[in-house]
Amino acid sequence: MGLFNTDLGGLGDERLMELVVRGNERAFATLYDRYQRKLLSYFHRMLWNDRERAQDFLQDLFTKLAQQPASYNPDRPFSTWLYSVANNMCKNEYRRQAVRTAAAPLLKASANHTAQAVEGTALDHEAFNRRLEEELEKLEPDQKATFVMRHYEDMAIKEIAAVFGISEGTVKSRLFYTVKKLAAKLPEFNPQPQTQAPAPGR
């Protein structure tokens, strides 16, 4: 009875995980529905825009969660713990694929860059995104992950700090130098808005 027969959507992540540990499949499904799109997007950007690989990693992540729910540390916010696990999975994949970086996507993006850049504002924006993706692939894994979490996943500085187990100041410093590095590589696009200080609490 009780929570097993009620709508679980209004419960917080940590409470849902308590139920998952006790074997509540509906609680697990609720967490999956809550995070699967965000994590698929994260894996897609972190894993060379390979959608099939991203889907496999998403499946692997939640399979591990289903099989070993007690691996979650209840002293940490569930969302930051989940992203830290996802980030570690990406790092392991980088090690396995050390020789095969993102050469193919980079070449594909470069081949279309000139034609796209002169087609108008919409294609200018598309060309910028392609160039940005190229440069993101060249960053150190932690720099790329921090940038993706902040600018694509819209995670707060505090959340990112919790994912990496570092201070908020370190996150801000990492973002500053990452954006500075990207801006130096993409001067014609002038990505200045990305360097603005985050709003309080974000």
Side-chain angles (χ1 to χ4, degrees):
M1 300 294 292
L3 289 171
F4 283 78
N5 292 323
T6 59
D7 178 16
L8 304 181
L11 296 180
D13 297 339
E14 292 74 21
R15 178 61 178 136
L16 286 171
M17 273 305 298
E18 290 179 15
L19 298 176
V20 170
V21 171
R22 287 158 48 187
N24 189 323
E25 293 183 8
R26 289 181 58 227
F28 178 85
T30 300
L31 283 171
Y32 179 84
D33 289 342
R34 191 172 289 178
Y35 283 98
Q36 58 101 2
R37 292 187 67 174
K38 290 181 178 180
L39 283 166
L40 181 61
S41 173
Y42 178 73
F43 280 133
H44 185 252
R45 292 192 179 280
M46 293 300 295
L47 299 171
W48 312 292
N49 295 320
D50 186 332
R51 186 166 185 81
E52 183 175 345
R53 193 186 307 232
Q55 291 172 334
D56 288 342
F57 271 60
L58 177 68
Q59 186 69 26
D60 288 348
L61 174 55
F62 278 95
T63 296
K64 292 175 183 176
L65 184 61
Q67 293 175 341
Q68 300 176 326
S71 63
Y72 165 60
N73 179 0
D75 293 332
R76 298 184 62 185
F78 176 76
S79 61
T80 55
W81 174 82
L82 193 64
Y83 270 96
S84 69
V85 174
N87 186 55
N88 285 334
M89 290 174 67
C90 291
K91 283 188 174 183
N92 289 335
E93 182 68 3
Y94 294 157
R95 294 187 189 102
R96 287 192 292 267
Q97 300 291 334
V99 179
R100 299 170 52 210
T101 56
L106 296 185
L107 292 173
K108 182 179 178 181
S110 297
N112 295 325
H113 169 63
T114 303
Q116 292 169 337
V118 297
E119 292 289 336
T121 303
L123 290 182
D124 282 347
H125 182 69
E126 182 179 346
F128 168 72
N129 287 335
R130 286 178 179 273
R131 286 286 308 283
L132 178 58
E133 292 291 346
E134 292 176 19
E135 296 304 327
L136 285 176
E137 296 297 345
K138 301 174 185 177
L139 296 174
E140 292 295 322
D142 285 350
Q143 290 180 326
K144 179 181 178 182
T146 302
F147 185 89
V148 169
M149 288 178 192
R150 179 62 180 149
H151 293 283
Y152 289 110
E153 302 302 317
D154 196 31
M155 292 176 65
I157 298 295
K158 183 177 181 179
E159 293 175 313
I160 299 171
V163 168
F164 286 99
I166 58 180
S167 70
E168 293 182 36
T170 300
V171 172
K172 292 176 182 178
S173 176
R174 184 182 293 173
L175 284 169
F176 174 79
Y177 284 107
T178 299
V179 170
K180 184 178 180 180
K181 184 181 296 185
L182 291 171
K185 296 290 185 179
L186 304 168
E188 68 272 35
F189 293 102
N190 191 28
Q192 291 303 310
Q194 299 171 356
T195 66
Q196 293 176 354
R202 293 296 304 165

